[in-house]
PDB file of all heavy atoms in Angstrom:
ATOM      1  N   SER H1001     -40.754 -22.126   7.784  1.00  0.00           N
ATOM      2  CA  SER H1001     -40.690 -21.161   8.844  1.00  0.00           C
ATOM      3  C   SER H1001     -42.075 -21.129   9.537  1.00  0.00           C
ATOM      4  O   SER H1001     -43.147 -21.243   8.914  1.00  0.00           O
ATOM      5  CB  SER H1001     -40.370 -19.759   8.324  1.00  0.00           C
ATOM      6  OG  SER H1001     -41.306 -19.345   7.343  1.00  0.00           O
ATOM      7  N   TYR H1002     -42.046 -20.888  10.838  1.00  0.00           N
ATOM      8  CA  TYR H1002     -43.240 -20.951  11.651  1.00  0.00           C
ATOM      9  C   TYR H1002     -44.284 -19.905  11.282  1.00  0.00           C
ATOM     10  O   TYR H1002     -45.449 -20.087  11.455  1.00  0.00           O
ATOM     11  CB  TYR H1002     -42.833 -20.776  13.103  1.00  0.00           C
ATOM     12  CG  TYR H1002     -44.003 -20.840  14.105  1.00  0.00           C
ATOM     13  CD1 TYR H1002     -44.796 -21.960  14.239  1.00  0.00           C
ATOM     14  CD2 TYR H1002     -44.330 -19.691  14.838  1.00  0.00           C
ATOM     15  CE1 TYR H1002     -45.858 -21.995  15.128  1.00  0.00           C
ATOM     16  CE2 TYR H1002     -45.429 -19.709  15.684  1.00  0.00           C
ATOM     17  CZ  TYR H1002     -46.155 -20.879  15.862  1.00  0.00           C
ATOM     18  OH  TYR H1002     -47.220 -20.912  16.728  1.00  0.00           O
ATOM     19  N   ASP H1003     -43.801 -18.805  10.661  1.00  0.00           N
ATOM     20  CA  ASP H1003     -44.705 -17.711  10.394  1.00  0.00           C
ATOM     21  C   ASP H1003     -45.836 -18.117   9.404  1.00  0.00           C
ATOM     22  O   ASP H1003     -46.904 -17.518   9.424  1.00  0.00           O
ATOM     23  CB  ASP H1003     -43.962 -16.486   9.866  1.00  0.00           C
ATOM     24  CG  ASP H1003     -43.311 -16.744   8.515  1.00  0.00           C
ATOM     25  OD1 ASP H1003     -42.357 -17.564   8.515  1.00  0.00           O
ATOM     26  OD2 ASP H1003     -43.710 -16.163   7.501  1.00  0.00           O
ATOM     27  N   ILE H1004     -45.592 -19.101   8.534  1.00  0.00           N
ATOM     28  CA  ILE H1004     -46.648 -19.485   7.588  1.00  0.00           C
ATOM     29  C   ILE H1004     -47.630 -20.451   8.217  1.00  0.00           C
ATOM     30  O   ILE H1004     -48.718 -20.691   7.616  1.00  0.00           O
ATOM     31  CB  ILE H1004     -46.067 -20.028   6.279  1.00  0.00           C
ATOM     32  CG1 ILE H1004     -45.284 -21.306   6.504  1.00  0.00           C
ATOM     33  CG2 ILE H1004     -45.239 -18.975   5.540  1.00  0.00           C
ATOM     34  CD1 ILE H1004     -44.846 -21.997   5.210  1.00  0.00           C
ATOM     35  N   LEU H1005     -47.307 -20.997   9.394  1.00  0.00           N
ATOM     36  CA  LEU H1005     -48.273 -21.807  10.095  1.00  0.00           C
ATOM     37  C   LEU H1005     -49.006 -20.966  11.144  1.00  0.00           C
ATOM     38  O   LEU H1005     -50.152 -21.195  11.455  1.00  0.00           O
ATOM     39  CB  LEU H1005     -47.562 -22.981  10.797  1.00  0.00           C
ATOM     40  CG  LEU H1005     -48.396 -23.916  11.668  1.00  0.00           C
ATOM     41  CD1 LEU H1005     -49.450 -24.643  10.798  1.00  0.00           C
ATOM     42  CD2 LEU H1005     -47.558 -24.910  12.353  1.00  0.00           C
ATOM     43  N   TRP H1006     -48.297 -20.016  11.729  1.00  0.00           N
ATOM     44  CA  TRP H1006     -48.869 -19.159  12.739  1.00  0.00           C
ATOM     45  C   TRP H1006     -50.160 -18.475  12.223  1.00  0.00           C
ATOM     46  O   TRP H1006     -50.368 -18.375  11.037  1.00  0.00           O
ATOM     47  CB  TRP H1006     -47.847 -18.051  13.162  1.00  0.00           C
ATOM     48  CG  TRP H1006     -48.282 -17.241  14.320  1.00  0.00           C
ATOM     49  CD1 TRP H1006     -48.233 -17.542  15.607  1.00  0.00           C
ATOM     50  CD2 TRP H1006     -48.954 -15.973  14.214  1.00  0.00           C
ATOM     51  NE1 TRP H1006     -48.786 -16.550  16.377  1.00  0.00           N
ATOM     52  CE2 TRP H1006     -49.239 -15.554  15.545  1.00  0.00           C
ATOM     53  CE3 TRP H1006     -49.355 -15.108  13.170  1.00  0.00           C
ATOM     54  CZ2 TRP H1006     -49.829 -14.355  15.837  1.00  0.00           C
ATOM     55  CZ3 TRP H1006     -49.971 -13.965  13.483  1.00  0.00           C
ATOM     56  CH2 TRP H1006     -50.226 -13.561  14.818  1.00  0.00           C
ATOM     57  N   GLY H1007     -50.955 -18.014  13.160  1.00  0.00           N
ATOM     58  CA  GLY H1007     -52.235 -17.425  12.742  1.00  0.00           C
ATOM     59  C   GLY H1007     -53.347 -18.458  12.748  1.00  0.00           C
ATOM     60  O   GLY H1007     -54.319 -18.345  12.026  1.00  0.00           O
ATOM     61  N   GLU H1008     -53.174 -19.512  13.521  1.00  0.00           N
ATOM     62  CA  GLU H1008     -54.124 -20.597  13.660  1.00  0.00           C
ATOM     63  C   GLU H1008     -54.466 -21.277  12.348  1.00  0.00           C
ATOM     64  O   GLU H1008     -55.575 -21.807  12.166  1.00  0.00           O
ATOM     65  CB  GLU H1008     -55.375 -20.082  14.356  1.00  0.00           C
ATOM     66  CG  GLU H1008     -55.098 -19.523  15.762  1.00  0.00           C
ATOM     67  CD  GLU H1008     -56.333 -19.190  16.572  1.00  0.00           C
ATOM     68  OE1 GLU H1008     -57.457 -19.190  16.034  1.00  0.00           O
ATOM     69  OE2 GLU H1008     -56.150 -18.894  17.776  1.00  0.00           O
ATOM     70  N   ARG H1009     -53.472 -21.355  11.500  1.00  0.00           N
ATOM     71  CA  ARG H1009     -53.647 -22.208  10.302  1.00  0.00           C
ATOM     72  C   ARG H1009     -53.541 -23.670  10.811  1.00  0.00           C
ATOM     73  O   ARG H1009     -52.834 -23.985  11.741  1.00  0.00           O
ATOM     74  CB  ARG H1009     -52.548 -21.930   9.286  1.00  0.00           C
ATOM     75  CG  ARG H1009     -52.686 -20.517   8.645  1.00  0.00           C
ATOM     76  CD  ARG H1009     -51.555 -20.222   7.731  1.00  0.00           C
ATOM     77  NE  ARG H1009     -51.674 -18.882   7.114  1.00  0.00           N
ATOM     78  CZ  ARG H1009     -51.174 -17.791   7.642  1.00  0.00           C
ATOM     79  NH1 ARG H1009     -50.589 -17.816   8.818  1.00  0.00           N
ATOM     80  NH2 ARG H1009     -51.335 -16.623   7.052  1.00  0.00           N
ATOM     81  N   VAL H1010     -54.198 -24.586  10.084  1.00  0.00           N
ATOM     82  CA  VAL H1010     -54.279 -25.993  10.487  1.00  0.00           C
ATOM     83  C   VAL H1010     -53.830 -26.874   9.363  1.00  0.00           C
ATOM     84  O   VAL H1010     -54.252 -26.637   8.194  1.00  0.00           O
ATOM     85  CB  VAL H1010     -55.759 -26.340  10.910  1.00  0.00           C
ATOM     86  CG1 VAL H1010     -55.881 -27.828  11.226  1.00  0.00           C
ATOM     87  CG2 VAL H1010     -56.202 -25.509  12.084  1.00  0.00           C
ATOM     88  N   ILE H1011     -53.036 -27.870   9.669  1.00  0.00           N
ATOM     89  CA  ILE H1011     -52.716 -28.913   8.681  1.00  0.00           C
ATOM     90  C   ILE H1011     -53.316 -30.224   9.215  1.00  0.00           C
ATOM     91  O   ILE H1011     -53.116 -30.574  10.368  1.00  0.00           O
ATOM     92  CB  ILE H1011     -51.205 -29.143   8.538  1.00  0.00           C
ATOM     93  CG1 ILE H1011     -50.516 -27.792   8.168  1.00  0.00           C
ATOM     94  CG2 ILE H1011     -50.893 -30.185   7.482  1.00  0.00           C
ATOM     95  CD1 ILE H1011     -49.014 -27.909   8.189  1.00  0.00           C
ATOM     96  N   ARG H1012     -54.057 -30.961   8.318  1.00  0.00           N
ATOM     97  CA  ARG H1012     -54.609 -32.220   8.734  1.00  0.00           C
ATOM     98  C   ARG H1012     -54.633 -33.204   7.608  1.00  0.00           C
ATOM     99  O   ARG H1012     -54.530 -32.831   6.410  1.00  0.00           O
ATOM    100  CB  ARG H1012     -55.990 -32.062   9.321  1.00  0.00           C
ATOM    101  CG  ARG H1012     -57.054 -31.550   8.386  1.00  0.00           C
ATOM    102  CD  ARG H1012     -58.401 -31.478   9.078  1.00  0.00           C
ATOM    103  NE  ARG H1012     -58.782 -32.735   9.654  1.00  0.00           N
ATOM    104  CZ  ARG H1012     -59.833 -32.871  10.458  1.00  0.00           C
ATOM    105  NH1 ARG H1012     -60.597 -31.838  10.813  1.00  0.00           N
ATOM    106  NH2 ARG H1012     -60.178 -34.091  10.950  1.00  0.00           N
ATOM    107  N   SER H1013     -54.697 -34.474   7.929  1.00  0.00           N
ATOM    108  CA  SER H1013     -54.707 -35.517   6.891  1.00  0.00           C
ATOM    109  C   SER H1013     -56.057 -36.189   6.836  1.00  0.00           C
ATOM    110  O   SER H1013     -56.921 -35.988   7.680  1.00  0.00           O
ATOM    111  CB  SER H1013     -53.656 -36.577   7.229  1.00  0.00           C
ATOM    112  OG  SER H1013     -54.023 -37.319   8.393  1.00  0.00           O
ATOM    113  N   VAL H1014     -56.224 -36.944   5.746  1.00  0.00           N
ATOM    114  CA  VAL H1014     -57.451 -37.716   5.556  1.00  0.00           C
ATOM    115  C   VAL H1014     -57.066 -39.180   5.608  1.00  0.00           C
ATOM    116  O   VAL H1014     -56.070 -39.613   4.954  1.00  0.00           O
ATOM    117  CB  VAL H1014     -58.089 -37.434   4.203  1.00  0.00           C
ATOM    118  CG1 VAL H1014     -59.177 -38.414   3.866  1.00  0.00           C
ATOM    119  CG2 VAL H1014     -58.669 -36.017   4.186  1.00  0.00           C
ATOM    120  N   ALA H1015     -57.769 -40.017   6.364  1.00  0.00           N
ATOM    121  CA  ALA H1015     -57.476 -41.433   6.413  1.00  0.00           C
ATOM    122  C   ALA H1015     -58.711 -42.230   5.987  1.00  0.00           C
ATOM    123  O   ALA H1015     -59.733 -42.274   6.650  1.00  0.00           O
ATOM    124  CB  ALA H1015     -57.093 -41.828   7.872  1.00  0.00           C
ATOM    125  N   ASN H1016     -58.604 -42.841   4.812  1.00  0.00           N
ATOM    126  CA  ASN H1016     -59.596 -43.798   4.339  1.00  0.00           C
ATOM    127  C   ASN H1016     -60.969 -43.109   4.220  1.00  0.00           C
ATOM    128  O   ASN H1016     -61.080 -41.945   3.801  1.00  0.00           O
ATOM    129  CB  ASN H1016     -59.613 -45.005   5.292  1.00  0.00           C
ATOM    130  CG  ASN H1016     -58.215 -45.535   5.560  1.00  0.00           C
ATOM    131  OD1 ASN H1016     -57.446 -45.707   4.609  1.00  0.00           O
ATOM    132  ND2 ASN H1016     -57.889 -45.789   6.792  1.00  0.00           N
ATOM    133  N   LEU H1017     -62.067 -43.823   4.506  1.00  0.00           N
ATOM    134  CA  LEU H1017     -63.408 -43.268   4.451  1.00  0.00           C
ATOM    135  C   LEU H1017     -64.284 -44.116   5.329  1.00  0.00           C
ATOM    136  O   LEU H1017     -63.927 -45.185   5.777  1.00  0.00           O
ATOM    137  CB  LEU H1017     -63.949 -43.262   3.004  1.00  0.00           C
ATOM    138  CG  LEU H1017     -64.412 -44.654   2.410  1.00  0.00           C
ATOM    139  CD1 LEU H1017     -65.397 -44.448   1.361  1.00  0.00           C
ATOM    140  CD2 LEU H1017     -63.223 -45.432   1.907  1.00  0.00           C
ATOM    141  N   THR H1018     -65.464 -43.584   5.625  1.00  0.00           N
ATOM    142  CA  THR H1018     -66.476 -44.349   6.381  1.00  0.00           C
ATOM    143  C   THR H1018     -67.639 -44.653   5.438  1.00  0.00           C
ATOM    144  O   THR H1018     -67.772 -44.103   4.353  1.00  0.00           O
ATOM    145  CB  THR H1018     -67.004 -43.518   7.558  1.00  0.00           C
ATOM    146  OG1 THR H1018     -67.755 -42.383   7.036  1.00  0.00           O
ATOM    147  CG2 THR H1018     -65.900 -42.999   8.445  1.00  0.00           C
ATOM    148  N   ARG H1019     -68.494 -45.572   5.895  1.00  0.00           N
ATOM    149  CA  ARG H1019     -69.678 -45.893   5.105  1.00  0.00           C
ATOM    150  C   ARG H1019     -70.604 -44.679   4.931  1.00  0.00           C
ATOM    151  O   ARG H1019     -71.219 -44.504   3.877  1.00  0.00           O
ATOM    152  CB  ARG H1019     -70.439 -47.076   5.711  1.00  0.00           C
ATOM    153  CG  ARG H1019     -69.728 -48.409   5.483  1.00  0.00           C
ATOM    154  CD  ARG H1019     -70.350 -49.548   6.257  1.00  0.00           C
ATOM    155  NE  ARG H1019     -69.944 -49.488   7.658  1.00  0.00           N
ATOM    156  CZ  ARG H1019     -70.352 -50.389   8.542  1.00  0.00           C
ATOM    157  NH1 ARG H1019     -71.117 -51.384   8.193  1.00  0.00           N
ATOM    158  NH2 ARG H1019     -69.909 -50.312   9.809  1.00  0.00           N
ATOM    159  N   LYS H1020     -70.627 -43.830   5.947  1.00  0.00           N
ATOM    160  CA  LYS H1020     -71.419 -42.627   5.844  1.00  0.00           C
ATOM    161  C   LYS H1020     -70.876 -41.706   4.754  1.00  0.00           C
ATOM    162  O   LYS H1020     -71.644 -41.085   3.984  1.00  0.00           O
ATOM    163  CB  LYS H1020     -71.568 -41.868   7.136  1.00  0.00           C
ATOM    164  CG  LYS H1020     -72.552 -40.757   7.138  1.00  0.00           C
ATOM    165  CD  LYS H1020     -72.730 -40.116   8.508  1.00  0.00           C
ATOM    166  CE  LYS H1020     -73.952 -39.169   8.508  1.00  0.00           C
ATOM    167  NZ  LYS H1020     -73.864 -38.112   7.478  1.00  0.00           N
ATOM    168  N   ASP H1021     -69.531 -41.617   4.644  1.00  0.00           N
ATOM    169  CA  ASP H1021     -68.943 -40.817   3.536  1.00  0.00           C
ATOM    170  C   ASP H1021     -69.414 -41.342   2.233  1.00  0.00           C
ATOM    171  O   ASP H1021     -69.744 -40.583   1.299  1.00  0.00           O
ATOM    172  CB  ASP H1021     -67.409 -40.972   3.596  1.00  0.00           C
ATOM    173  CG  ASP H1021     -66.833 -40.293   4.770  1.00  0.00           C
ATOM    174  OD1 ASP H1021     -67.360 -39.217   5.258  1.00  0.00           O
ATOM    175  OD2 ASP H1021     -65.789 -40.777   5.269  1.00  0.00           O
ATOM    176  N   ALA H1022     -69.472 -42.690   2.060  1.00  0.00           N
ATOM    177  CA  ALA H1022     -69.939 -43.270   0.795  1.00  0.00           C
ATOM    178  C   ALA H1022     -71.353 -42.948   0.494  1.00  0.00           C
ATOM    179  O   ALA H1022     -71.686 -42.539  -0.641  1.00  0.00           O
ATOM    180  CB  ALA H1022     -69.723 -44.782   0.867  1.00  0.00           C
ATOM    181  N   GLU H1023     -72.203 -43.065   1.495  1.00  0.00           N
ATOM    182  CA  GLU H1023     -73.632 -42.798   1.242  1.00  0.00           C
ATOM    183  C   GLU H1023     -73.856 -41.306   0.926  1.00  0.00           C
ATOM    184  O   GLU H1023     -74.538 -40.975  -0.086  1.00  0.00           O
ATOM    185  CB  GLU H1023     -74.453 -43.242   2.463  1.00  0.00           C
ATOM    186  CG  GLU H1023     -74.440 -44.716   2.660  1.00  0.00           C
ATOM    187  CD  GLU H1023     -74.895 -45.072   4.099  1.00  0.00           C
ATOM    188  OE1 GLU H1023     -75.108 -44.151   4.947  1.00  0.00           O
ATOM    189  OE2 GLU H1023     -74.941 -46.286   4.374  1.00  0.00           O
ATOM    190  N   ASP H1024     -73.260 -40.416   1.751  1.00  0.00           N
ATOM    191  CA  ASP H1024     -73.469 -39.018   1.537  1.00  0.00           C
ATOM    192  C   ASP H1024     -72.779 -38.522   0.288  1.00  0.00           C
ATOM    193  O   ASP H1024     -73.305 -37.687  -0.467  1.00  0.00           O
ATOM    194  CB  ASP H1024     -72.957 -38.200   2.739  1.00  0.00           C
ATOM    195  CG  ASP H1024     -73.719 -38.487   4.006  1.00  0.00           C
ATOM    196  OD1 ASP H1024     -74.819 -39.123   3.909  1.00  0.00           O
ATOM    197  OD2 ASP H1024     -73.283 -38.072   5.105  1.00  0.00           O
ATOM    198  N   GLY H1025     -71.541 -38.985   0.029  1.00  0.00           N
ATOM    199  CA  GLY H1025     -70.790 -38.553  -1.132  1.00  0.00           C
ATOM    200  C   GLY H1025     -71.461 -38.943  -2.432  1.00  0.00           C
ATOM    201  O   GLY H1025     -71.484 -38.144  -3.408  1.00  0.00           O
ATOM    202  N   LEU H1026     -71.913 -40.164  -2.523  1.00  0.00           N
ATOM    203  CA  LEU H1026     -72.574 -40.584  -3.774  1.00  0.00           C
ATOM    204  C   LEU H1026     -73.872 -39.825  -4.007  1.00  0.00           C
ATOM    205  O   LEU H1026     -74.166 -39.450  -5.142  1.00  0.00           O
ATOM    206  CB  LEU H1026     -72.831 -42.094  -3.718  1.00  0.00           C
ATOM    207  CG  LEU H1026     -71.620 -43.024  -3.782  1.00  0.00           C
ATOM    208  CD1 LEU H1026     -71.982 -44.490  -3.505  1.00  0.00           C
ATOM    209  CD2 LEU H1026     -70.981 -42.934  -5.160  1.00  0.00           C
ATOM    210  N   ALA H1027     -74.622 -39.595  -2.944  1.00  0.00           N
ATOM    211  CA  ALA H1027     -75.865 -38.821  -3.144  1.00  0.00           C
ATOM    212  C   ALA H1027     -75.590 -37.402  -3.563  1.00  0.00           C
ATOM    213  O   ALA H1027     -76.298 -36.903  -4.455  1.00  0.00           O
ATOM    214  CB  ALA H1027     -76.654 -38.844  -1.789  1.00  0.00           C
ATOM    215  N   LEU H1028     -74.568 -36.774  -3.022  1.00  0.00           N
ATOM    216  CA  LEU H1028     -74.250 -35.386  -3.433  1.00  0.00           C
ATOM    217  C   LEU H1028     -73.716 -35.340  -4.868  1.00  0.00           C
ATOM    218  O   LEU H1028     -74.125 -34.413  -5.621  1.00  0.00           O
ATOM    219  CB  LEU H1028     -73.206 -34.805  -2.466  1.00  0.00           C
ATOM    220  CG  LEU H1028     -72.819 -33.370  -2.749  1.00  0.00           C
ATOM    221  CD1 LEU H1028     -73.993 -32.426  -2.781  1.00  0.00           C
ATOM    222  CD2 LEU H1028     -71.788 -32.899  -1.698  1.00  0.00           C
ATOM    223  N   ALA H1029     -72.919 -36.316  -5.250  1.00  0.00           N
ATOM    224  CA  ALA H1029     -72.415 -36.339  -6.612  1.00  0.00           C
ATOM    225  C   ALA H1029     -73.578 -36.437  -7.609  1.00  0.00           C
ATOM    226  O   ALA H1029     -73.526 -35.783  -8.704  1.00  0.00           O
ATOM    227  CB  ALA H1029     -71.463 -37.500  -6.806  1.00  0.00           C
ATOM    228  N   ALA H1030     -74.611 -37.196  -7.314  1.00  0.00           N
ATOM    229  CA  ALA H1030     -75.780 -37.288  -8.172  1.00  0.00           C
ATOM    230  C   ALA H1030     -76.592 -36.029  -8.186  1.00  0.00           C
ATOM    231  O   ALA H1030     -77.182 -35.645  -9.183  1.00  0.00           O
ATOM    232  CB  ALA H1030     -76.610 -38.497  -7.761  1.00  0.00           C
ATOM    233  N   LYS H1031     -76.667 -35.321  -7.056  1.00  0.00           N
ATOM    234  CA  LYS H1031     -77.443 -34.112  -6.941  1.00  0.00           C
ATOM    235  C   LYS H1031     -76.815 -32.989  -7.794  1.00  0.00           C
ATOM    236  O   LYS H1031     -77.547 -32.170  -8.305  1.00  0.00           O
ATOM    237  CB  LYS H1031     -77.503 -33.681  -5.505  1.00  0.00           C
ATOM    238  CG  LYS H1031     -78.414 -32.474  -5.232  1.00  0.00           C
ATOM    239  CD  LYS H1031     -78.519 -32.166  -3.733  1.00  0.00           C
ATOM    240  CE  LYS H1031     -79.376 -30.935  -3.486  1.00  0.00           C
ATOM    241  NZ  LYS H1031     -79.463 -30.643  -1.994  1.00  0.00           N
TER     242      LYS H1031
END
């Protein structure tokens, strides 16, 4: 039902990764 989306809720997907994701993600995991 639309009411559970209404209220400016957002649905989005994730596609793959970038090299920056790899650099930043690995650094944060170590931190």
